[in-house]
């Protein structure tokens, strides 16, 4: 195959590589697969194009429009995934490794699409948290809101997941409304370039939304501003170098760093070889050592085992590792492919060398070579004095390498785990909640994610090494201190939170969400007569008053079976500290409220969809009366035929005291 000449994509054009070209060799055959030179040159121009063209176009789109765009991108990747698998084999990845990268990447786009459609408004502003009352009379209120940063997101990615690594950053960035410049790692840039090409050819992204730098990033950092953001994934060394760039400090550029970490798996003291958690631990350590040939930032590097069980665990691990078939990733029988390059293998060997000064190799020969390709056997080490050791807690061998170490008790295990100085993930194999609690309180602060594997969840567990779009990925300290993904948390990294202060009228109309104190539109018709598009926020209905009688309470109690003493037994209810006598059921009040506010004839209101934030604030006694106010608070388009209306509902007593309030959701025809 003729080597691919990898191109950059800048300001809407593909750029041929220029200058001296260097080869990227196949991890399997050593033959050149691709060539890279310096394609992109005008980095200031790229940043300006992103800010002025891409950002502008993205910011006028609503979250829902951007979410639909992500779905179209995911579909484009899935439709052409076989092209990517073909290239992915050349990086040493098996089909299973490629699945994590390619389909996992598309899955992340799909997940962010659905989060965006379900959890974000069809708007360009995101409300963050409740309205804060700031004044006695309620004419001055506060509300946190988020708007997209107006710069460019610079994504610098590691080599190990060229597709997922790109898409897991692009999904939250584009959903937030920010354009991106992607700089993939050179070693696997041919896969990233191909995936990027699919995104462009899908023709769903506005011009300037994404650009690609294959090759060096030149003086890109010199042109960053406080509206830009750098999201870096890679080694601690590179992260520190980039973070020290004077512009990062001067302009207070947000810098998210996802670095390496010495992730641990801990076998609980209860997980003896006769317990299912022992076998689960052994399986997971082997899986983490061999998936993607151990080139995962989340892979298990340190396996901590109760001292009394370490010999048994070592024997079980060796037995399993001996069965791992290492070879050509295209071969279906192969369980572990190659490292990404010969230089990566050299690096891993030198790291093993450092580790073996404190630990002995108990399985695998790091120097075995089968001729062509960057293959390496899985290497298991054992360190019997981990308390006194340093390298085993510090040196990352980014390959199929892990070190076993014994611990004496949970406090000891926690101390050893924390010697990693901050990790992306830790897994614990135990069936004992007390062990989990002790580990969480002792080591939680050092970890971004804690997976507890036991017999109940093992079958469905997504495993130690898999970051998930809905959960935070990142860890403190050595792991970089960054956070990615985590559902909408990941989107907010690309937005600015602003504390908005003003009158309810102003804030309600700016945020498209009615606030108490903002104008209420009480004139007929009844709000249930208005279609989704006709319904104005603030449209209000105030009901007649209804007296709640003892007969009502008893009728409801017998009808529903809810004969709780507070409704039925005067003496017992009087002794209750909240009621001082019999009171109406909260659910009776809700039912009466519905009876008071509905307009019954068929119309645009299609369905009651649920209640949010319900609070019963004052008891209602026999003889009290109630009335309801229903106000249209916000609207979200859900489908082409209907949208969701959120209503603020307040039930008040004859003394104008608030008895209950809640938000009612209905689906309304357009
Ligand atoms: P790396 O050598 O640190 O490179 C990471 C990225 O930085 C690459 O795209 C690289 O581009 C780029 N880079 C290097 N110098 C640069 C500069 N001066 N200006 C701009 N960009 C620059 O890491 P890697 O070898 O690709 O990845 C392996 C490491 O990443 C491991 O340590 C692993 O633990 C870590 N990792 C962490 C995570 C996480 O989420 N925490 C995920 C995956 C991997 P070139 O390739 O062109 O040099």
């Amino acid at each position: 195959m003729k080597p691919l000449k990898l191109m950059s994509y800048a300001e809407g054009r593909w750029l041929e590589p220029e200058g001296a070209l260097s080869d990227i060799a196949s991890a399997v055959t050593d033959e050149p697969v691709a060539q890279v030179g310096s394609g992109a040159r005008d980095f200031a121009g790229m940043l300006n194009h992103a800010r002025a063209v891409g950002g502008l176009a993205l910011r006028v789109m609503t979250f829902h429009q951007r979410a639909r765009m992500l779905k179209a991108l995911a579909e484009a990747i899935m439709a052409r995934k076989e092209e990517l698998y073909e290239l992915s084999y050349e990086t040493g990845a098996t089909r299973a490794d490629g699945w994590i990268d390619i389909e996992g990447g598309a899955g992340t786009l799909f997940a962010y699409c659905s989060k965006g459609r379900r959890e974000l408004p069809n708007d360009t502003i995101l409300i963050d948290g409740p309205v804060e009352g700031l004044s006695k009379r309620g004419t001055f209120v506060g509300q946190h809101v988020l708007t997209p940063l107006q710069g460019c997101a610079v994504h610098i990615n590691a080599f190990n997941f060229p597709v997922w690594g790109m898409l897991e950053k692009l999904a939250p960035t584009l959903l937030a409304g920010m354009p991106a410049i992607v700089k993939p790692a050179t070693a696997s840039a041919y896969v990233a370039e191909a995936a990027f090409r699919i995104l462009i050819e899908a023709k769903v992204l506005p011009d300037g939304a994404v650009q690609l730098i294959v090759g060096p990033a030149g003086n890109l950092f010199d042109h960053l501003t406080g509206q830009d953001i750098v999201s870096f994934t890679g080694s601690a060394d590179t992260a520190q170098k980039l973070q020290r760039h004077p512009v990062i400090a001067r302009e207070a550029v947000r810098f998210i760093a996802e670095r390496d970490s010495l992730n641990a798996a801990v076998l609980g003291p209860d997980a003896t070889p006769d317990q299912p958690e022992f076998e689960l631990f052994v399986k997971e350590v082997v899986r983490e050592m061999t998936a993607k040939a151990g080139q995962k930032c989340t892979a298990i590097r340190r396996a901590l085992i109760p001292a009394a069980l370490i010999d048994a665990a070592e024997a079980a691990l060796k037995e399993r590792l001996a069965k791992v078939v290492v070879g050509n990733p295209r071969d279906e029988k192969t369980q572990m492919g190659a490292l990404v390059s010969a230089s990566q293998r050299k690096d891993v060997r030198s790291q093993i060398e450092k580790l073996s000064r404190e630990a002995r190799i108990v399985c695998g020969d790091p120097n075995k070579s089968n001729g062509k390709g960057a293959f390496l056997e899985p290497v298991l080490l054992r360190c019997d004095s981990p308390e006194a050791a340093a390298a085993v807690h510090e040196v990352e061998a980014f390959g199929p390498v892990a070190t076993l170490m014994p611990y004496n008790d949970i406090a000891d295990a926690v101390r050893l785990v924390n010697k990693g100085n901050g990790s992306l993930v830790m897994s614990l194999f135990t069936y004992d909640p007390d062990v989990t609690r002790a580990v969480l309180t002792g080591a939680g602060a050092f970890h971004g994610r804690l997976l507890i594997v036991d017999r109940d969840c093992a079958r469905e567990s997504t495993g130690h090494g898999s970051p998930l779009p809905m959960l935070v990925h990142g860890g403190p300290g050595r792991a970089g201190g960054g956070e990615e993904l985590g559902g909408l948390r990941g989107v907010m990294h690309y937005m600015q939170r602003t504390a908005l202060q003003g009158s309810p009228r102003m804030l309600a109309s700016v945020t498209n969400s009615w606030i108490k104190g903002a104008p209420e539109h009480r004139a007929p018709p009844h709000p249930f007569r208005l279609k989704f598009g006709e319904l104005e926020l603030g449209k209000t209905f105030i009901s007649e008053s209804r007296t709640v009688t003892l007969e009502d309470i008893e009728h409801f109690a017998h009808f529903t079976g809810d004969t709780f003493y507070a409704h039925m037994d005067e003496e017992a209810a009087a002794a209750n500290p909240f009621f001082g006598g019999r009171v109406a059921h909260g659910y009776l009040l809700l039912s009466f409220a519905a009876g008071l506010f509905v307009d019954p004839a068929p119309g645009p209101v299609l369905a009651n969809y649920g209640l949010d934030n319900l609070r019963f604030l004052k008891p209602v006694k026999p003889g009290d009366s109630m009335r309801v106010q229903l106000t249209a608070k916000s609207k979200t388009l859900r489908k082409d035929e209907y949208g969701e209306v959120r209503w603020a509902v307040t039930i008040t007593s004859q003394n104008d005291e608030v008895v209950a309030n809640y938000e009612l959701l209905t689906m309304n025809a357009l």
Side-chain angles (χ1 to χ4, degrees):
M1 183 174 101
K2 213 169 144 222
L4 303 161
K5 273 195 183 165
L6 302 187
M7 296 166 93
S8 293
Y9 186 78
E11 301 180 53
R13 284 182 302 123
W14 286 101
L15 304 176
E16 293 274 357
E18 289 180 16
L21 301 186
S22 42
D23 288 342
I24 306 175
S26 161
V28 185
T29 63
D30 294 340
E31 300 297 323
V33 191
Q35 291 183 316
V36 37
S38 50
R41 296 264 180 76
D42 179 7
F43 298 105
M46 287 177 81
L47 285 167
N48 286 336
H49 184 69
R51 295 173 190 134
V53 181
L56 217 58
L58 287 166
R59 287 199 299 277
V60 296
M61 295 167 76
T62 67
F63 289 109
H64 289 197
Q65 289 170 322
R66 295 177 207 145
R68 276 193 285 270
M69 188 173 76
L70 297 185
K71 186 171 175 202
L73 295 178
E75 285 167 350
I77 294 282
M78 288 305 285
R80 293 174 62 182
K81 65 181 182 183
E82 292 307 326
E83 296 170 36
L84 299 174
Y85 274 112
E86 270 309 304
L87 291 170
S88 172
Y89 289 132
E90 300 297 340
T91 68
T94 61
R95 180 94 191 175
D97 296 335
W99 183 87
I100 304 172
D101 189 32
I102 299 160
E103 305 196 34
T108 304
L109 290 173
F110 279 127
Y112 267 94
C113 163
S114 109
K115 288 236 158 238
R117 295 290 307 280
R118 276 188 286 113
E119 296 173 32
L120 292 174
N122 191 25
D123 201 339
T124 54
I125 293 176
L126 179 59
I127 293 174
D128 180 34
V131 173
E132 299 287 345
L134 302 175
S135 64
K136 264 197 185 144
R137 295 199 354 256
T139 62
F140 184 58
V141 293
Q143 170 75 73
H144 290 103
V145 295
L146 292 138
T147 53
L149 288 176
Q150 296 185 14
C152 174
V154 174
H155 294 170
I156 300 179
N157 299 333
F159 73 78
N160 55 344
F161 289 109
V163 183
W164 178 85
M166 174 167 70
L167 299 182
E168 63 101 14
K169 283 186 166 66
L170 280 180
T173 304
L174 294 172
L175 188 55
M178 224 186 155
I181 294 177
V182 181
K183 147 101 189 90
T186 300
S188 57
Y190 49 97
V191 188
E193 193 238 45
F196 186 91
R197 207 173 268 279
I198 294 173
L199 303 184
I200 296 296
E201 289 172 5
K203 294 197 185 316
V204 290
L205 287 163
D207 190 18
V210 294
Q211 299 177 78
L212 181 74
I213 299 174
V214 176
N219 65 358
L220 179 76
F221 273 44
D222 292 346
H223 304 287
L224 295 177
T225 72
Q227 285 295 309
D228 301 315
I229 176 165
V230 176
S231 181
F232 169 86
T233 300
S235 62
D237 285 349
T238 312
Q240 283 166 36
K241 194 168 95 191
L242 296 181
Q243 221 158 356
R244 276 198 299 267
H245 193 286
V247 171
I248 299 290
R250 193 187 71 215
E251 303 289 323
V253 179
R254 286 188 201 178
F255 195 103
I256 300 174
E258 294 298 346
R259 312 193 310 208
D260 51 33
S261 69
L262 276 288
N263 312 291
V266 177
L267 182 68
D270 56 310
T272 47
D274 53 333
Q275 299 299 315
E277 286 72 26
F278 182 88
E279 176 68 8
L280 293 169
F281 171 83
V282 170
K283 254 167 106 172
E284 193 69 359
V285 172
V286 172
R287 184 160 78 138
E288 283 299 308
M289 285 177 72
T290 54
K292 192 74 193 175
Q295 299 164 110
K296 288 199 308 184
C297 54
T298 49
I300 296 170
R301 304 284 173 216
R302 298 177 297 152
L304 276 71
I305 301 160
L309 304 179
I310 192 162
D311 291 336
E314 181 188 320
L317 284 162
K318 277 157 82 171
E319 195 187 321
R320 261 185 187 267
L321 285 169
K323 293 186 196 143
V324 172
V325 182
V326 182
N328 189 327
R330 287 177 197 270
D331 187 338
E332 276 176 22
K333 287 194 220 78
T334 294
Q335 288 164 298
M336 191 179 100
L339 299 185
V340 75
S341 63
S343 84
Q344 181 63 22
R345 183 173 62 180
K346 189 165 161 230
D347 185 62
V348 173
R349 282 177 173 158
S350 99
Q351 300 295 71
I352 295 173
E353 214 277 306
K354 287 181 204 156
L355 292 171
S356 55
R357 289 177 209 152
E358 293 177 350
R360 63 199 151 87
I361 295 175
V362 293
C363 180
D365 175 1
N367 295 315
K368 198 164 147 190
S369 171
N370 291 348
K372 286 197 166 166
F375 294 97
L376 183 75
E377 283 187 350
V379 174
L380 186 67
L381 298 105
R382 173 166 165 171
C383 171
D384 283 313
S385 310
E387 192 67 54
V392 294
H393 305 294
E394 277 171 25
V395 172
E396 183 200 42
F398 201 58
V401 183
T403 305
L404 307 180
M405 41 191 95
Y407 71 85
N408 299 317
D409 54 24
I410 288 295
D412 191 26
V414 162
R415 219 173 17 254
L416 291 173
V417 164
N418 292 351
K419 274 175 170 275
N421 278 329
S423 299
L424 295 167
V425 52
M426 159 188 182
S427 55
L428 174 63
F429 295 74
T430 181
Y431 203 52
D432 184 345
D434 290 340
V435 168
T436 304
R437 174 92 191 175
V439 169
L440 172 65
T441 50
F446 287 73
H447 292 85
R449 181 159 62 86
L450 171 56
L451 165 72
I452 304 127
V453 183
D454 66 16
R455 62 201 77 175
D456 297 342
C457 71
R459 273 180 74 87
E460 291 195 298
S461 163
T462 45
H464 172 104
S466 302
L468 298 171
M470 55 296 271
L471 297 184
V472 158
H473 172 57
R478 161 105 194 213
E483 257 192 18
E484 285 180 336
L485 301 175
L488 295 189
R489 292 174 189 85
V491 176
M492 293 179 190
H493 294 314
Y494 297 92
M495 306 185 83
Q496 175 62 40
R497 181 176 290 103
T498 304
L500 197 60
Q501 293 171 278
S503 69
R505 180 192 71 88
M506 182 60 76
L507 267 55
S509 56
V510 167
T511 61
N512 284 324
S513 180
W514 181 83
I515 296 171
K516 191 170 177 326
E520 294 167 8
H521 311 291
R522 299 186 181 190
H526 187 286
F528 275 26
R529 304 266 48 94
L530 298 172
K531 289 187 180 169
F532 184 81
E534 297 164 344
L535 186 67
E536 193 183 359
L537 297 187
K539 176 75 183 163
T540 295
F541 175 76
I542 297 188
S543 77
E544 296 297 318
S545 168
R546 171 173 187 155
T547 302
V548 180
T549 67
L550 192 59
E551 290 70 43
D552 291 333
I553 296 170
E554 293 198 335
H555 177 72
F556 189 80
H558 294 303
F559 180 50
T560 61
D562 180 356
T563 52
F564 189 63
Y565 74 88
H567 317 303
M568 302 304 284
D569 181 338
E570 182 60 37
E571 202 179 324
N576 178 302
F578 294 104
F579 302 134
R582 288 173 79 175
V583 294
H585 305 67
Y587 298 123
L588 171 61
L589 303 181
L590 292 186
S591 303
F592 278 168
L596 287 167
F597 68 61
V598 293
D599 187 72
V605 178
L606 305 175
N608 175 350
Y609 178 58
L611 302 180
D612 277 346
N613 306 323
L614 169 64
R615 286 289 176 280
F616 295 115
L617 299 167
K618 286 254 174 221
V620 170
K621 299 198 166 161
D624 285 348
S625 58
M626 58 177 274
R627 91 172 54 239
V628 198
Q629 170 165 344
L630 178 80
T631 302
K633 180 178 162 74
S634 63
K635 302 194 296 181
T636 310
L637 194 63
R638 289 285 172 218
K639 292 261 159 99
D640 289 343
E641 315 82 56
Y642 57 85
E644 178 192 289
V645 179
R646 183 175 287 270
W647 307 85
V649 186
T650 308
I651 304 176
T652 44
S653 70
Q654 66 277 12
N655 305 322
D656 281 339
E657 287 177 322
V658 177
V659 164
N661 53 31
Y662 54 98
E663 289 171 4
L664 166 72
L665 301 169
T666 59
M667 287 302 180
N668 287 33
L670 292 199

